[in-house]
Amino acid sequence: MKIAFIGLGNMGAPMAGNLLKAGHELAVYDLDAAALDRLATQGARPGASLADTVDGAEMVITMLPAARHVDKVINGEGGVLGYVQPGVPIVDCSTIGPATARQLSASAQAHGNAFADAPVSGGTGGAAAGTLTFMVGGDEALFERIKPVLQCMGRNIVHCGAVGNGQVAKLCNNLLLGVTMVGVSEAMSLGTSQGMDAKVLAGIINTSTGRCWSSDTYNPFPGVIDGAPASRGYTGGFGVDLMLKDLGLAMDAAHEKHQPLPMGALAQDLYQQWSSQGQGALDFSSIIKLLATLPSSP
Ligand code: NAD
């Protein structure tokens, strides 16, 4: 299939790479010329503009940082909807919140294009391995149509219901992820401050009731897990500012429905403090370093 893939960052680049490996024909676009070059060496056609990228596409996939980027790329001047053929489905895999996804769906439908929100979970490791979970919002027929393509990039492709519901599922997951990463950071900091070996402690947690992804796959303590961002200076991975964005989207959704999120609010405050110290581009597991700078509990 001819696919236009827009946004070749930490997630988009390996996802596009897996579509190429599966035999799809890709036109790719990113503001970063180096990212475009990397995909071109893997066999993709670098687009000169959004118009050029979607020319002849049978499906458009976007993987961009936040709602404003997705809105600009799809709806803005010179954006996808100005050039894509009617009938071509648009699938956004970014985390943008349910309200924006529903607005984009309405805009796309007015141009004769179906829209699905399909945010992902699984991190950069899952993107590279093609084992992501896709949480899809959109009608059933559209879900069945796009599923074979998503299966080239993920292992679990879940239909969450109407458009926007993929985003709802994603926000709930990331709310929990943001909280568990702070919790694992606290446990690892306490244990090692008491003289416990970090790997031994993590091994116990990972076979005990504290086990969670933040500990057994993405442990924030350096050296515990080879290949985790903590073991490479918190580079790559999922940025503090992206986590902050997702917690903000969860808070917006909670306010709308009067749902209290006390743990989420506390986690949001900690990531905000860390970002304000200029650490927003580091992987979110670096939150363990903020803990070391906080005053001790009374
Ligand atoms: P990223 O910042 O690494 O990549 C985003 C890419 O979009 C960059 O290459 C940037 O140049 C490009 N871009 C920005 N504006 C553009 C525009 N107008 N036109 C074309 N390209 C543009 O982000 P990421 O880590 O790949 O995350 C992408 C999305 O996936 C985010 O919504 C994030 O919340 C979500 N997500 C990330 C992870 C993760 O582990 N990194 C996991 C799950 C979901």
Side-chain angles (χ1 to χ4, degrees), residues 197-225:
D197 177 83
K199 276 193 175 179
V200 173
L201 176 58
I204 289 172
I205 290 172
N206 298 342
T207 50
S208 303
T209 44
R211 179 170 64 87
C212 58
W213 188 89
S214 295
S215 178
D216 72 5
T217 306
Y218 215 83
N219 198 290
F221 201 90
V224 168
I225 297 194

mmCIF file with all atom_site columns, all heavy atoms in Angstrom, residues 197-225:
data_model
loop_
_atom_site.group_PDB
_atom_site.id
_atom_site.type_symbol
_atom_site.label_atom_id
_atom_site.label_alt_id
_atom_site.label_comp_id
_atom_site.label_asym_id
_atom_site.label_entity_id
_atom_site.label_seq_id
_atom_site.pdbx_PDB_ins_code
_atom_site.Cartn_x
_atom_site.Cartn_y
_atom_site.Cartn_z
_atom_site.occupancy
_atom_site.B_iso_or_equiv
_atom_site.pdbx_formal_charge
_atom_site.auth_seq_id
_atom_site.auth_comp_id
_atom_site.auth_asym_id
_atom_site.auth_atom_id
_atom_site.pdbx_PDB_model_num
ATOM 1   N N   . ASP A 1 197 ? 21.647 -3.030  47.113 1.00 0.00 ? 197 ASP A N   1
ATOM 2   C CA  . ASP A 1 197 ? 22.109 -3.050  45.731 1.00 0.00 ? 197 ASP A CA  1
ATOM 3   C C   . ASP A 1 197 ? 20.894 -2.820  44.807 1.00 0.00 ? 197 ASP A C   1
ATOM 4   O O   . ASP A 1 197 ? 19.851 -3.459  44.966 1.00 0.00 ? 197 ASP A O   1
ATOM 5   C CB  . ASP A 1 197 ? 22.759 -4.403  45.427 1.00 0.00 ? 197 ASP A CB  1
ATOM 6   C CG  . ASP A 1 197 ? 23.192 -4.498  43.982 1.00 0.00 ? 197 ASP A CG  1
ATOM 7   O OD1 . ASP A 1 197 ? 24.285 -3.998  43.679 1.00 0.00 ? 197 ASP A OD1 1
ATOM 8   O OD2 . ASP A 1 197 ? 22.423 -5.040  43.152 1.00 0.00 ? 197 ASP A OD2 1
ATOM 9   N N   . ALA A 1 198 ? 21.058 -1.912  43.842 1.00 0.00 ? 198 ALA A N   1
ATOM 10  C CA  . ALA A 1 198 ? 19.917 -1.525  42.999 1.00 0.00 ? 198 ALA A CA  1
ATOM 11  C C   . ALA A 1 198 ? 19.362 -2.702  42.203 1.00 0.00 ? 198 ALA A C   1
ATOM 12  O O   . ALA A 1 198 ? 18.138 -2.868  42.094 1.00 0.00 ? 198 ALA A O   1
ATOM 13  C CB  . ALA A 1 198 ? 20.337 -0.398  42.052 1.00 0.00 ? 198 ALA A CB  1
ATOM 14  N N   . LYS A 1 199 ? 20.243 -3.538  41.664 1.00 0.00 ? 199 LYS A N   1
ATOM 15  C CA  . LYS A 1 199 ? 19.753 -4.659  40.840 1.00 0.00 ? 199 LYS A CA  1
ATOM 16  C C   . LYS A 1 199 ? 19.030 -5.700  41.688 1.00 0.00 ? 199 LYS A C   1
ATOM 17  O O   . LYS A 1 199 ? 18.029 -6.271  41.268 1.00 0.00 ? 199 LYS A O   1
ATOM 18  C CB  . LYS A 1 199 ? 20.925 -5.329  40.104 1.00 0.00 ? 199 LYS A CB  1
ATOM 19  C CG  . LYS A 1 199 ? 21.288 -4.621  38.811 1.00 0.00 ? 199 LYS A CG  1
ATOM 20  C CD  . LYS A 1 199 ? 22.210 -5.479  37.973 1.00 0.00 ? 199 LYS A CD  1
ATOM 21  C CE  . LYS A 1 199 ? 22.451 -4.806  36.636 1.00 0.00 ? 199 LYS A CE  1
ATOM 22  N NZ  . LYS A 1 199 ? 23.329 -5.514  35.759 1.00 0.00 ? 199 LYS A NZ  1
ATOM 23  N N   . VAL A 1 200 ? 19.571 -5.936  42.887 1.00 0.00 ? 200 VAL A N   1
ATOM 24  C CA  . VAL A 1 200 ? 18.914 -6.910  43.781 1.00 0.00 ? 200 VAL A CA  1
ATOM 25  C C   . VAL A 1 200 ? 17.532 -6.385  44.167 1.00 0.00 ? 200 VAL A C   1
ATOM 26  O O   . VAL A 1 200 ? 16.532 -7.115  44.125 1.00 0.00 ? 200 VAL A O   1
ATOM 27  C CB  . VAL A 1 200 ? 19.780 -7.175  45.032 1.00 0.00 ? 200 VAL A CB  1
ATOM 28  C CG1 . VAL A 1 200 ? 19.032 -8.055  46.033 1.00 0.00 ? 200 VAL A CG1 1
ATOM 29  C CG2 . VAL A 1 200 ? 21.109 -7.819  44.630 1.00 0.00 ? 200 VAL A CG2 1
ATOM 30  N N   . LEU A 1 201 ? 17.471 -5.095  44.522 1.00 0.00 ? 201 LEU A N   1
ATOM 31  C CA  . LEU A 1 201 ? 16.191 -4.503  44.921 1.00 0.00 ? 201 LEU A CA  1
ATOM 32  C C   . LEU A 1 201 ? 15.182 -4.582  43.773 1.00 0.00 ? 201 LEU A C   1
ATOM 33  O O   . LEU A 1 201 ? 14.029 -5.005  43.968 1.00 0.00 ? 201 LEU A O   1
ATOM 34  C CB  . LEU A 1 201 ? 16.408 -3.041  45.349 1.00 0.00 ? 201 LEU A CB  1
ATOM 35  C CG  . LEU A 1 201 ? 15.149 -2.251  45.709 1.00 0.00 ? 201 LEU A CG  1
ATOM 36  C CD1 . LEU A 1 201 ? 14.378 -2.921  46.852 1.00 0.00 ? 201 LEU A CD1 1
ATOM 37  C CD2 . LEU A 1 201 ? 15.505 -0.814  46.086 1.00 0.00 ? 201 LEU A CD2 1
ATOM 38  N N   . ALA A 1 202 ? 15.634 -4.192  42.572 1.00 0.00 ? 202 ALA A N   1
ATOM 39  C CA  . ALA A 1 202 ? 14.718 -4.223  41.417 1.00 0.00 ? 202 ALA A CA  1
ATOM 40  C C   . ALA A 1 202 ? 14.250 -5.655  41.163 1.00 0.00 ? 202 ALA A C   1
ATOM 41  O O   . ALA A 1 202 ? 13.069 -5.888  40.870 1.00 0.00 ? 202 ALA A O   1
ATOM 42  C CB  . ALA A 1 202 ? 15.398 -3.651  40.178 1.00 0.00 ? 202 ALA A CB  1
ATOM 43  N N   . GLY A 1 203 ? 15.167 -6.617  41.310 1.00 0.00 ? 203 GLY A N   1
ATOM 44  C CA  . GLY A 1 203 ? 14.798 -8.023  41.101 1.00 0.00 ? 203 GLY A CA  1
ATOM 45  C C   . GLY A 1 203 ? 13.714 -8.469  42.060 1.00 0.00 ? 203 GLY A C   1
ATOM 46  O O   . GLY A 1 203 ? 12.814 -9.232  41.688 1.00 0.00 ? 203 GLY A O   1
ATOM 47  N N   . ILE A 1 204 ? 13.793 -8.002  43.303 1.00 0.00 ? 204 ILE A N   1
ATOM 48  C CA  . ILE A 1 204 ? 12.773 -8.367  44.289 1.00 0.00 ? 204 ILE A CA  1
ATOM 49  C C   . ILE A 1 204 ? 11.435 -7.706  43.948 1.00 0.00 ? 204 ILE A C   1
ATOM 50  O O   . ILE A 1 204 ? 10.387 -8.364  43.923 1.00 0.00 ? 204 ILE A O   1
ATOM 51  C CB  . ILE A 1 204 ? 13.249 -7.993  45.704 1.00 0.00 ? 204 ILE A CB  1
ATOM 52  C CG1 . ILE A 1 204 ? 14.379 -8.954  46.089 1.00 0.00 ? 204 ILE A CG1 1
ATOM 53  C CG2 . ILE A 1 204 ? 12.101 -8.070  46.720 1.00 0.00 ? 204 ILE A CG2 1
ATOM 54  C CD1 . ILE A 1 204 ? 15.090 -8.643  47.339 1.00 0.00 ? 204 ILE A CD1 1
ATOM 55  N N   . ILE A 1 205 ? 11.486 -6.415  43.642 1.00 0.00 ? 205 ILE A N   1
ATOM 56  C CA  . ILE A 1 205 ? 10.238 -5.714  43.279 1.00 0.00 ? 205 ILE A CA  1
ATOM 57  C C   . ILE A 1 205 ? 9.592  -6.401  42.076 1.00 0.00 ? 205 ILE A C   1
ATOM 58  O O   . ILE A 1 205 ? 8.374  -6.606  42.037 1.00 0.00 ? 205 ILE A O   1
ATOM 59  C CB  . ILE A 1 205 ? 10.540 -4.221  42.957 1.00 0.00 ? 205 ILE A CB  1
ATOM 60  C CG1 . ILE A 1 205 ? 10.924 -3.475  44.238 1.00 0.00 ? 205 ILE A CG1 1
ATOM 61  C CG2 . ILE A 1 205 ? 9.335  -3.556  42.281 1.00 0.00 ? 205 ILE A CG2 1
ATOM 62  C CD1 . ILE A 1 205 ? 11.424 -2.052  44.018 1.00 0.00 ? 205 ILE A CD1 1
ATOM 63  N N   . ASN A 1 206 ? 10.445 -6.807  41.104 1.00 0.00 ? 206 ASN A N   1
ATOM 64  C CA  . ASN A 1 206 ? 9.906  -7.339  39.850 1.00 0.00 ? 206 ASN A CA  1
ATOM 65  C C   . ASN A 1 206 ? 9.324  -8.748  39.970 1.00 0.00 ? 206 ASN A C   1
ATOM 66  O O   . ASN A 1 206 ? 8.704  -9.243  39.035 1.00 0.00 ? 206 ASN A O   1
ATOM 67  C CB  . ASN A 1 206 ? 10.977 -7.294  38.752 1.00 0.00 ? 206 ASN A CB  1
ATOM 68  C CG  . ASN A 1 206 ? 11.404 -5.867  38.464 1.00 0.00 ? 206 ASN A CG  1
ATOM 69  O OD1 . ASN A 1 206 ? 10.680 -4.933  38.817 1.00 0.00 ? 206 ASN A OD1 1
ATOM 70  N ND2 . ASN A 1 206 ? 12.551 -5.693  37.831 1.00 0.00 ? 206 ASN A ND2 1
ATOM 71  N N   . THR A 1 207 ? 9.553  -9.372  41.131 1.00 0.00 ? 207 THR A N   1
ATOM 72  C CA  . THR A 1 207 ? 8.900  -10.666 41.369 1.00 0.00 ? 207 THR A CA  1
ATOM 73  C C   . THR A 1 207 ? 7.971  -10.559 42.584 1.00 0.00 ? 207 THR A C   1
ATOM 74  O O   . THR A 1 207 ? 7.584  -11.565 43.173 1.00 0.00 ? 207 THR A O   1
ATOM 75  C CB  . THR A 1 207 ? 9.947  -11.780 41.615 1.00 0.00 ? 207 THR A CB  1
ATOM 76  O OG1 . THR A 1 207 ? 10.873 -11.320 42.606 1.00 0.00 ? 207 THR A OG1 1
ATOM 77  C CG2 . THR A 1 207 ? 10.714 -12.116 40.344 1.00 0.00 ? 207 THR A CG2 1
ATOM 78  N N   . SER A 1 208 ? 7.668  -9.341  42.965 1.00 0.00 ? 208 SER A N   1
ATOM 79  C CA  . SER A 1 208 ? 6.803  -9.106  44.132 1.00 0.00 ? 208 SER A CA  1
ATOM 80  C C   . SER A 1 208 ? 5.642  -8.200  43.732 1.00 0.00 ? 208 SER A C   1
ATOM 81  O O   . SER A 1 208 ? 5.478  -7.879  42.560 1.00 0.00 ? 208 SER A O   1
ATOM 82  C CB  . SER A 1 208 ? 7.602  -8.470  45.275 1.00 0.00 ? 208 SER A CB  1
ATOM 83  O OG  . SER A 1 208 ? 8.694  -9.302  45.606 1.00 0.00 ? 208 SER A OG  1
ATOM 84  N N   . THR A 1 209 ? 4.892  -7.747  44.732 1.00 0.00 ? 209 THR A N   1
ATOM 85  C CA  . THR A 1 209 ? 3.651  -7.029  44.448 1.00 0.00 ? 209 THR A CA  1
ATOM 86  C C   . THR A 1 209 ? 3.866  -5.601  43.921 1.00 0.00 ? 209 THR A C   1
ATOM 87  O O   . THR A 1 209 ? 2.916  -4.967  43.475 1.00 0.00 ? 209 THR A O   1
ATOM 88  C CB  . THR A 1 209 ? 2.789  -6.982  45.719 1.00 0.00 ? 209 THR A CB  1
ATOM 89  O OG1 . THR A 1 209 ? 3.646  -6.660  46.819 1.00 0.00 ? 209 THR A OG1 1
ATOM 90  C CG2 . THR A 1 209 ? 2.138  -8.321  45.989 1.00 0.00 ? 209 THR A CG2 1
ATOM 91  N N   . GLY A 1 210 ? 5.093  -5.105  43.995 1.00 0.00 ? 210 GLY A N   1
ATOM 92  C CA  . GLY A 1 210 ? 5.361  -3.769  43.451 1.00 0.00 ? 210 GLY A CA  1
ATOM 93  C C   . GLY A 1 210 ? 5.674  -3.792  41.961 1.00 0.00 ? 210 GLY A C   1
ATOM 94  O O   . GLY A 1 210 ? 5.904  -2.740  41.354 1.00 0.00 ? 210 GLY A O   1
ATOM 95  N N   . ARG A 1 211 ? 5.677  -4.998  41.369 1.00 0.00 ? 211 ARG A N   1
ATOM 96  C CA  . ARG A 1 211 ? 6.093  -5.126  39.965 1.00 0.00 ? 211 ARG A CA  1
ATOM 97  C C   . ARG A 1 211 ? 5.222  -4.261  39.042 1.00 0.00 ? 211 ARG A C   1
ATOM 98  O O   . ARG A 1 211 ? 4.013  -4.235  39.163 1.00 0.00 ? 211 ARG A O   1
ATOM 99  C CB  . ARG A 1 211 ? 5.980  -6.586  39.542 1.00 0.00 ? 211 ARG A CB  1
ATOM 100 C CG  . ARG A 1 211 ? 6.360  -6.848  38.106 1.00 0.00 ? 211 ARG A CG  1
ATOM 101 C CD  . ARG A 1 211 ? 6.461  -8.333  37.852 1.00 0.00 ? 211 ARG A CD  1
ATOM 102 N NE  . ARG A 1 211 ? 5.165  -8.994  38.030 1.00 0.00 ? 211 ARG A NE  1
ATOM 103 C CZ  . ARG A 1 211 ? 4.252  -9.129  37.083 1.00 0.00 ? 211 ARG A CZ  1
ATOM 104 N NH1 . ARG A 1 211 ? 4.480  -8.658  35.878 1.00 0.00 ? 211 ARG A NH1 1
ATOM 105 N NH2 . ARG A 1 211 ? 3.120  -9.736  37.322 1.00 0.00 ? 211 ARG A NH2 1
ATOM 106 N N   . CYS A 1 212 ? 5.881  -3.558  38.142 1.00 0.00 ? 212 CYS A N   1
ATOM 107 C CA  . CYS A 1 212 ? 5.167  -2.794  37.120 1.00 0.00 ? 212 CYS A CA  1
ATOM 108 C C   . CYS A 1 212 ? 6.167  -2.477  36.004 1.00 0.00 ? 212 CYS A C   1
ATOM 109 O O   . CYS A 1 212 ? 7.371  -2.665  36.169 1.00 0.00 ? 212 CYS A O   1
ATOM 110 C CB  . CYS A 1 212 ? 4.588  -1.493  37.691 1.00 0.00 ? 212 CYS A CB  1
ATOM 111 S SG  . CYS A 1 212 ? 5.811  -0.399  38.429 1.00 0.00 ? 212 CYS A SG  1
ATOM 112 N N   . TRP A 1 213 ? 5.671  -1.993  34.880 1.00 0.00 ? 213 TRP A N   1
ATOM 113 C CA  . TRP A 1 213 ? 6.512  -1.708  33.705 1.00 0.00 ? 213 TRP A CA  1
ATOM 114 C C   . TRP A 1 213 ? 7.605  -0.696  34.056 1.00 0.00 ? 213 TRP A C   1
ATOM 115 O O   . TRP A 1 213 ? 8.732  -0.807  33.595 1.00 0.00 ? 213 TRP A O   1
ATOM 116 C CB  . TRP A 1 213 ? 5.609  -1.186  32.580 1.00 0.00 ? 213 TRP A CB  1
ATOM 117 C CG  . TRP A 1 213 ? 6.250  -1.012  31.250 1.00 0.00 ? 213 TRP A CG  1
ATOM 118 C CD1 . TRP A 1 213 ? 6.354  -1.935  30.253 1.00 0.00 ? 213 TRP A CD1 1
ATOM 119 C CD2 . TRP A 1 213 ? 6.870  0.184   30.730 1.00 0.00 ? 213 TRP A CD2 1
ATOM 120 N NE1 . TRP A 1 213 ? 6.987  -1.392  29.147 1.00 0.00 ? 213 TRP A NE1 1
ATOM 121 C CE2 . TRP A 1 213 ? 7.312  -0.103  29.415 1.00 0.00 ? 213 TRP A CE2 1
ATOM 122 C CE3 . TRP A 1 213 ? 7.078  1.466   31.253 1.00 0.00 ? 213 TRP A CE3 1
ATOM 123 C CZ2 . TRP A 1 213 ? 7.954  0.845   28.612 1.00 0.00 ? 213 TRP A CZ2 1
ATOM 124 C CZ3 . TRP A 1 213 ? 7.727  2.413   30.453 1.00 0.00 ? 213 TRP A CZ3 1
ATOM 125 C CH2 . TRP A 1 213 ? 8.159  2.095   29.150 1.00 0.00 ? 213 TRP A CH2 1
ATOM 126 N N   . SER A 1 214 ? 7.255  0.291   34.889 1.00 0.00 ? 214 SER A N   1
ATOM 127 C CA  . SER A 1 214 ? 8.236  1.318   35.262 1.00 0.00 ? 214 SER A CA  1
ATOM 128 C C   . SER A 1 214 ? 9.412  0.711   36.005 1.00 0.00 ? 214 SER A C   1
ATOM 129 O O   . SER A 1 214 ? 10.501 1.291   36.033 1.00 0.00 ? 214 SER A O   1
ATOM 130 C CB  . SER A 1 214 ? 7.583  2.387   36.154 1.00 0.00 ? 214 SER A CB  1
ATOM 131 O OG  . SER A 1 214 ? 6.607  3.086   35.428 1.00 0.00 ? 214 SER A OG  1
ATOM 132 N N   . SER A 1 215 ? 9.212  -0.455  36.613 1.00 0.00 ? 215 SER A N   1
ATOM 133 C CA  . SER A 1 215 ? 10.304 -1.114  37.317 1.00 0.00 ? 215 SER A CA  1
ATOM 134 C C   . SER A 1 215 ? 10.951 -2.212  36.476 1.00 0.00 ? 215 SER A C   1
ATOM 135 O O   . SER A 1 215 ? 12.167 -2.272  36.347 1.00 0.00 ? 215 SER A O   1
ATOM 136 C CB  . SER A 1 215 ? 9.804  -1.719  38.631 1.00 0.00 ? 215 SER A CB  1
ATOM 137 O OG  . SER A 1 215 ? 10.867 -2.390  39.261 1.00 0.00 ? 215 SER A OG  1
ATOM 138 N N   . ASP A 1 216 ? 10.123 -3.099  35.868 1.00 0.00 ? 216 ASP A N   1
ATOM 139 C CA  . ASP A 1 216 ? 10.734 -4.286  35.252 1.00 0.00 ? 216 ASP A CA  1
ATOM 140 C C   . ASP A 1 216 ? 11.203 -4.094  33.813 1.00 0.00 ? 216 ASP A C   1
ATOM 141 O O   . ASP A 1 216 ? 11.936 -4.929  33.287 1.00 0.00 ? 216 ASP A O   1
ATOM 142 C CB  . ASP A 1 216 ? 9.834  -5.530  35.394 1.00 0.00 ? 216 ASP A CB  1
ATOM 143 C CG  . ASP A 1 216 ? 8.591  -5.492  34.516 1.00 0.00 ? 216 ASP A CG  1
ATOM 144 O OD1 . ASP A 1 216 ? 8.426  -4.572  33.710 1.00 0.00 ? 216 ASP A OD1 1
ATOM 145 O OD2 . ASP A 1 216 ? 7.759  -6.415  34.657 1.00 0.00 ? 216 ASP A OD2 1
ATOM 146 N N   . THR A 1 217 ? 10.785 -3.002  33.164 1.00 0.00 ? 217 THR A N   1
ATOM 147 C CA  . THR A 1 217 ? 11.196 -2.787  31.770 1.00 0.00 ? 217 THR A CA  1
ATOM 148 C C   . THR A 1 217 ? 11.952 -1.476  31.607 1.00 0.00 ? 217 THR A C   1
ATOM 149 O O   . THR A 1 217 ? 12.774 -1.337  30.706 1.00 0.00 ? 217 THR A O   1
ATOM 150 C CB  . THR A 1 217 ? 9.942  -2.786  30.854 1.00 0.00 ? 217 THR A CB  1
ATOM 151 O OG1 . THR A 1 217 ? 9.217  -3.997  31.091 1.00 0.00 ? 217 THR A OG1 1
ATOM 152 C CG2 . THR A 1 217 ? 10.302 -2.702  29.386 1.00 0.00 ? 217 THR A CG2 1
ATOM 153 N N   . TYR A 1 218 ? 11.668 -0.501  32.484 1.00 0.00 ? 218 TYR A N   1
ATOM 154 C CA  . TYR A 1 218 ? 12.120 0.868   32.238 1.00 0.00 ? 218 TYR A CA  1
ATOM 155 C C   . TYR A 1 218 ? 12.660 1.484   33.527 1.00 0.00 ? 218 TYR A C   1
ATOM 156 O O   . TYR A 1 218 ? 12.497 2.657   33.784 1.00 0.00 ? 218 TYR A O   1
ATOM 157 C CB  . TYR A 1 218 ? 10.898 1.652   31.745 1.00 0.00 ? 218 TYR A CB  1
ATOM 158 C CG  . TYR A 1 218 ? 11.147 2.715   30.703 1.00 0.00 ? 218 TYR A CG  1
ATOM 159 C CD1 . TYR A 1 218 ? 11.231 2.392   29.355 1.00 0.00 ? 218 TYR A CD1 1
ATOM 160 C CD2 . TYR A 1 218 ? 11.237 4.064   31.065 1.00 0.00 ? 218 TYR A CD2 1
ATOM 161 C CE1 . TYR A 1 218 ? 11.393 3.379   28.394 1.00 0.00 ? 218 TYR A CE1 1
ATOM 162 C CE2 . TYR A 1 218 ? 11.400 5.056   30.111 1.00 0.00 ? 218 TYR A CE2 1
ATOM 163 C CZ  . TYR A 1 218 ? 11.469 4.702   28.776 1.00 0.00 ? 218 TYR A CZ  1
ATOM 164 O OH  . TYR A 1 218 ? 11.619 5.682   27.829 1.00 0.00 ? 218 TYR A OH  1
ATOM 165 N N   . ASN A 1 219 ? 13.288 0.622   34.336 1.00 0.00 ? 219 ASN A N   1
ATOM 166 C CA  . ASN A 1 219 ? 13.674 1.071   35.679 1.00 0.00 ? 219 ASN A CA  1
ATOM 167 C C   . ASN A 1 219 ? 14.488 2.378   35.642 1.00 0.00 ? 219 ASN A C   1
ATOM 168 O O   . ASN A 1 219 ? 15.433 2.496   34.859 1.00 0.00 ? 219 ASN A O   1
ATOM 169 C CB  . ASN A 1 219 ? 14.477 -0.030  36.376 1.00 0.00 ? 219 ASN A CB  1
ATOM 170 C CG  . ASN A 1 219 ? 14.512 0.182   37.872 1.00 0.00 ? 219 ASN A CG  1
ATOM 171 O OD1 . ASN A 1 219 ? 15.152 1.100   38.352 1.00 0.00 ? 219 ASN A OD1 1
ATOM 172 N ND2 . ASN A 1 219 ? 13.790 -0.650  38.613 1.00 0.00 ? 219 ASN A ND2 1
ATOM 173 N N   . PRO A 1 220 ? 14.124 3.364   36.489 1.00 0.00 ? 220 PRO A N   1
ATOM 174 C CA  . PRO A 1 220 ? 14.776 4.679   36.429 1.00 0.00 ? 220 PRO A CA  1
ATOM 175 C C   . PRO A 1 220 ? 16.182 4.705   37.031 1.00 0.00 ? 220 PRO A C   1
ATOM 176 O O   . PRO A 1 220 ? 16.890 5.705   36.892 1.00 0.00 ? 220 PRO A O   1
ATOM 177 C CB  . PRO A 1 220 ? 13.826 5.567   37.255 1.00 0.00 ? 220 PRO A CB  1
ATOM 178 C CG  . PRO A 1 220 ? 13.165 4.624   38.215 1.00 0.00 ? 220 PRO A CG  1
ATOM 179 C CD  . PRO A 1 220 ? 13.020 3.328   37.467 1.00 0.00 ? 220 PRO A CD  1
ATOM 180 N N   . PHE A 1 221 ? 16.589 3.620   37.723 1.00 0.00 ? 221 PHE A N   1
ATOM 181 C CA  . PHE A 1 221 ? 17.910 3.630   38.369 1.00 0.00 ? 221 PHE A CA  1
ATOM 182 C C   . PHE A 1 221 ? 18.961 3.188   37.347 1.00 0.00 ? 221 PHE A C   1
ATOM 183 O O   . PHE A 1 221 ? 18.815 2.131   36.734 1.00 0.00 ? 221 PHE A O   1
ATOM 184 C CB  . PHE A 1 221 ? 17.931 2.714   39.595 1.00 0.00 ? 221 PHE A CB  1
ATOM 185 C CG  . PHE A 1 221 ? 19.031 3.046   40.559 1.00 0.00 ? 221 PHE A CG  1
ATOM 186 C CD1 . PHE A 1 221 ? 18.812 3.951   41.591 1.00 0.00 ? 221 PHE A CD1 1
ATOM 187 C CD2 . PHE A 1 221 ? 20.296 2.500   40.406 1.00 0.00 ? 221 PHE A CD2 1
ATOM 188 C CE1 . PHE A 1 221 ? 19.828 4.295   42.475 1.00 0.00 ? 221 PHE A CE1 1
ATOM 189 C CE2 . PHE A 1 221 ? 21.323 2.838   41.285 1.00 0.00 ? 221 PHE A CE2 1
ATOM 190 C CZ  . PHE A 1 221 ? 21.088 3.741   42.321 1.00 0.00 ? 221 PHE A CZ  1
ATOM 191 N N   . PRO A 1 222 ? 20.037 3.985   37.162 1.00 0.00 ? 222 PRO A N   1
ATOM 192 C CA  . PRO A 1 222 ? 21.033 3.648   36.139 1.00 0.00 ? 222 PRO A CA  1
ATOM 193 C C   . PRO A 1 222 ? 21.640 2.264   36.347 1.00 0.00 ? 222 PRO A C   1
ATOM 194 O O   . PRO A 1 222 ? 21.941 1.871   37.477 1.00 0.00 ? 222 PRO A O   1
ATOM 195 C CB  . PRO A 1 222 ? 22.107 4.737   36.314 1.00 0.00 ? 222 PRO A CB  1
ATOM 196 C CG  . PRO A 1 222 ? 21.422 5.855   37.020 1.00 0.00 ? 222 PRO A CG  1
ATOM 197 C CD  . PRO A 1 222 ? 20.353 5.228   37.873 1.00 0.00 ? 222 PRO A CD  1
ATOM 198 N N   . GLY A 1 223 ? 21.786 1.522   35.254 1.00 0.00 ? 223 GLY A N   1
ATOM 199 C CA  . GLY A 1 223 ? 22.479 0.238   35.296 1.00 0.00 ? 223 GLY A CA  1
ATOM 200 C C   . GLY A 1 223 ? 21.608 -0.949  35.640 1.00 0.00 ? 223 GLY A C   1
ATOM 201 O O   . GLY A 1 223 ? 22.052 -2.089  35.537 1.00 0.00 ? 223 GLY A O   1
ATOM 202 N N   . VAL A 1 224 ? 20.368 -0.714  36.051 1.00 0.00 ? 224 VAL A N   1
ATOM 203 C CA  . VAL A 1 224 ? 19.499 -1.844  36.420 1.00 0.00 ? 224 VAL A CA  1
ATOM 204 C C   . VAL A 1 224 ? 19.042 -2.582  35.162 1.00 0.00 ? 224 VAL A C   1
ATOM 205 O O   . VAL A 1 224 ? 19.021 -3.808  35.126 1.00 0.00 ? 224 VAL A O   1
ATOM 206 C CB  . VAL A 1 224 ? 18.292 -1.365  37.263 1.00 0.00 ? 224 VAL A CB  1
ATOM 207 C CG1 . VAL A 1 224 ? 17.251 -2.460  37.404 1.00 0.00 ? 224 VAL A CG1 1
ATOM 208 C CG2 . VAL A 1 224 ? 18.765 -0.905  38.639 1.00 0.00 ? 224 VAL A CG2 1
ATOM 209 N N   . ILE A 1 225 ? 18.671 -1.819  34.132 1.00 0.00 ? 225 ILE A N   1
ATOM 210 C CA  . ILE A 1 225 ? 18.192 -2.457  32.898 1.00 0.00 ? 225 ILE A CA  1
ATOM 211 C C   . ILE A 1 225 ? 19.002 -1.948  31.718 1.00 0.00 ? 225 ILE A C   1
ATOM 212 O O   . ILE A 1 225 ? 18.949 -0.751  31.379 1.00 0.00 ? 225 ILE A O   1
ATOM 213 C CB  . ILE A 1 225 ? 16.687 -2.181  32.688 1.00 0.00 ? 225 ILE A CB  1
ATOM 214 C CG1 . ILE A 1 225 ? 15.925 -2.818  33.848 1.00 0.00 ? 225 ILE A CG1 1
ATOM 215 C CG2 . ILE A 1 225 ? 16.212 -2.706  31.321 1.00 0.00 ? 225 ILE A CG2 1
ATOM 216 C CD1 . ILE A 1 225 ? 14.481 -2.973  33.714 1.00 0.00 ? 225 ILE A CD1 1
#
